Amino acid sequence: MAARGAFSNRLGFILAAAGSAVGLGNIWKFPFEVGLGGGAAFVGMYLLFCFLLCFPVMVTEVAIGRKTQKNAIGAFNSLGFKKWNFIGKLGIFCGILILSFYNVIAGWAFGYFFEMAVGNFSISQNFGVYTSNVLKVGAYAVVFMLFTAFFVSKGVSGGIERLAKILMPSLIFMIFCLVGYALTLPNAFEGIKFYLVPDLSEITMSTVGGALRQAFFSLSLGMGALITYGSYLSKSDNIVSSAAFITLADVGIAFIAGLMIFPLVAFNNGGDMSLVQSSQAGPALIFVTLPGVFETLGAGLGAFVGAFFFLLLSFAALTSTVSLLEVPVSYVVDEWKLDRKVAVGAVALLIFIIGLPSMLANGASGFFSGSFTMPGGSTDFLSLAALSADTLLLFGGFFIVTFAAYVWKKENLHEELAEGFDGYHASFVKTFIDFAISYVCPVLLAILFVLVFLNNFFGINLL
């Protein structure tokens, strides 16, 4: 265990795992998914999935990691079920795929920090030109990957945990500052109304699928991250309460991010929230809409607030890219016995290369920018990669709970969860987790995976 590294304490694990969960998925992806999903109806579905389906999956992943003290693939081998290590392989594949395009978007945000700092608000009107400039966004992506690799190379407590202890409190402070400002703007209430008052007619298969994918993506489930982080966790730590804190932190920051984004969007659109579901929806939402908001503050203050926001977004991205890179690095260090720094360099370079098509998919290459046929029309490589990874996470989540309940056996899972949790066997938590991983999670995840897969890739809506 000492050779692999470990978190210095429970707080370090919670902050690092929460940092993995809290990232671009909460501040960038969550708001535009809410916009596309019809606002409050999406938020309600998202919250339901986080606590009903995702929490039991999270507890299971962390328990498997801590029990084995191994990486996402080695964990299943160590338990004696080598044929089931495809779950870990699928998780590592998803993590690599996600980081390959996630780093590109993190590079956009990092670049916007500099653009806002010099008062270049017009970049919002030229977002397509910006993202198609491969040399510029590529340079930002390189720098961001180097930051990520640096912290991962420092190890678990010296790099990942130390980074999380600095960035997570800073991130929360920055979000609250911007929420306070956003709520003072004209038309802010229209944004809040769209965000918090549900319209049940907006609940469609797309809403359900988007909410479920978002819950898995934002909580870092199904990609091996929590198995890996769990392997660095002490036996004396309470997995259940730690997972509860992580889930609450993720949901809470996503929710607060919505309180920050939608008042700003409503202010910029004169209170017309219909635009969020049309021309201004999608991945470009904050990159296109918010610079215009910051410009209204004047050159000096607008540049400061804009730079502050995109620095926040970069901070959030870094806490997640670090965890995504740690998953394959942990595997290479454990199984191939490579030096950590060598493993980090090799894996980071490979993932950056894999991410080049996503970098070219926003105008730089006609082929990667729109040659992939989907039910709703052609799409770009980055969007296809994101949709594929999100869908595969549900697939992985189904197999993780099925493995824990019926192959590894629930009794073994409960024994691991009882470590560090006095009274676990007589608690309601045990009953809930037992029922959830036996029936609720496998059944609902299987049904929803099929429905989401058919809807996303074949345009077949069975609801």
Side-chain angles (χ1 to χ4, degrees):
M1 181 67 178
R4 297 184 73 246
F7 291 111
S8 62
N9 53 44
R10 180 169 175 248
L11 177 63
F13 165 73
I14 291 172
L15 288 175
S20 173
V22 174
L24 286 177
N26 297 74
I27 301 173
W28 163 71
K29 194 169 184 286
F30 180 71
F32 84 71
E33 290 282 9
V34 171
L36 292 173
F42 179 97
V43 176
M45 297 299 296
Y46 168 75
L47 294 175
L48 177 66
F49 287 141
C50 280
F51 291 103
L52 181 64
L53 292 179
C54 294
F55 176 74
V57 177
M58 177 183 289
V59 167
T60 302
E61 287 198 36
V62 175
I64 290 173
R66 191 179 70 173
K67 173 66 177 179
T68 60
Q69 309 282 280
K70 295 289 186 180
N71 59 82
I73 295 175
F76 295 93
N77 296 340
S78 179
L79 290 175
F81 302 100
K82 191 172 183 179
K83 290 182 179 179
W84 283 81
N85 72 16
F86 74 87
I87 300 174
K89 292 176 181 177
L90 177 64
I92 290 179
F93 170 77
C94 285
I96 290 173
L97 180 61
I98 290 170
L99 182 54
S100 72
F101 67 78
Y102 201 101
N103 185 67
V104 173
I105 300 164
W108 296 350
F110 190 51
Y112 259 57
F113 163 68
F114 294 104
E115 299 291 344
M116 291 296 100
V118 298
N120 183 19
F121 303 111
S122 64
I123 193 170
S124 63
Q125 301 162 18
N126 301 290
F127 180 68
V129 175
Y130 171 76
T131 57
S132 65
N133 188 335
V134 176
L135 291 180
K136 176 179 281 190
V137 297
Y140 290 136
V142 167
V143 172
F144 207 89
M145 184 62 86
L146 288 175
F147 273 126
T148 302
F150 171 77
F151 286 108
V152 175
S153 72
K154 293 297 182 180
V156 180
S157 61
I160 297 170
E161 181 180 340
R162 183 173 296 177
L163 176 71
K165 285 182 175 178
I166 295 171
L167 290 193
M168 285 304 295
S170 303
L171 177 63
I172 293 170
F173 171 75
M174 293 168 80
I175 291 177
F176 273 109
C177 287
L178 284 172
V179 169
Y181 165 71
L183 293 177
T184 66
L185 296 172
N187 297 309
F189 179 74
E190 292 302 317
I192 296 296
K193 181 180 176 182
F194 172 82
Y195 184 50
L196 298 182
V197 179
D199 178 358
L200 298 183
S201 67
E202 294 287 351
I203 299 179
T204 65
M205 189 59 240
S206 294
T207 305
V208 173
L212 183 58
R213 293 196 313 271
Q214 174 63 23
F216 266 72
F217 181 89
S218 69
L219 285 167
S220 299
L221 301 177
M223 61 181 74
L226 291 172
I227 293 177
T228 302
Y229 274 15
S231 73
Y232 303 130
L233 186 62
S234 167
K235 286 285 188 181
S236 62
D237 292 327
N238 187 323
I239 290 177
V240 174
S241 62
S242 297
F245 280 123
I246 295 164
T247 304
L248 288 170
D250 176 74
V251 168
I253 291 179
F255 181 78
I256 295 168
L259 292 178
M260 170 181 65
I261 296 293
F262 289 106
L264 292 174
V265 172
F267 166 68
N268 191 61
N269 293 342
D272 183 4
M273 296 306 294
S274 65
L275 294 174
V276 179
Q277 294 176 270
S278 55
S279 61
Q280 295 184 28
L285 175 63
I286 62 172
F287 293 104
V288 173
T289 300
L290 296 191
V293 177
F294 302 138
E295 186 176 14
T296 63
L297 299 174
L301 182 59
F304 174 79
V305 174
F308 189 69
F309 173 82
F310 284 103
L311 180 63
L312 177 156
L313 196 60
S314 299
F315 276 13
L318 188 58
T319 61
S320 294
T321 57
V322 163
S323 69
L324 287 166
L325 183 57
E326 175 62 19
V327 174
V329 165
S330 176
Y331 167 73
V332 171
V333 170
D334 282 355
E335 307 300 327
W336 296 6
K337 309 303 179 185
L338 285 184
D339 175 78
R340 171 170 278 269
K341 288 183 171 60
V342 173
V344 168
V347 174
L349 177 60
L350 174 63
I351 294 175
F352 184 83
I353 292 171
I354 293 172
L356 291 177
S358 292
M359 192 179 298
L360 297 170
N362 298 276
S365 163
F367 175 76
F368 290 114
S369 297
S371 298
F372 304 92
T373 303
M374 297 291 287
S378 61
T379 191
D380 61 90
F381 183 87
L382 189 154
S383 298
L384 179 62
L387 190 63
S388 300
D390 285 356
T391 307
L392 286 174
L393 295 182
L394 309 183
F395 194 56
F398 164 76
F399 278 111
I400 286 169
V401 291
T402 300
F403 169 81
Y406 300 107
V407 181
W408 184 34
K409 302 300 184 185
K410 291 176 289 184
E411 294 75 15
N412 293 311
L413 172 64
H414 292 314
E415 285 302 318
E416 186 61 31
L417 294 177
E419 295 276 355
F421 185 166
D422 293 335
Y424 170 77
H425 286 293
S427 69
F428 168 76
V429 174
K430 178 187 176 183
T431 304
F432 169 69
I433 292 175
D434 191 286
F435 184 72
I437 69 166
S438 299
Y439 308 106
V440 178
C441 292
V443 173
L444 289 184
L445 284 174
I447 293 172
L448 290 170
F449 169 76
V450 172
L451 294 176
V452 169
F453 180 79
L454 291 176
N455 184 65
N456 289 342
F457 295 98
F458 296 97
I460 300 172
N461 191 342
L462 298 180
L463 292 184

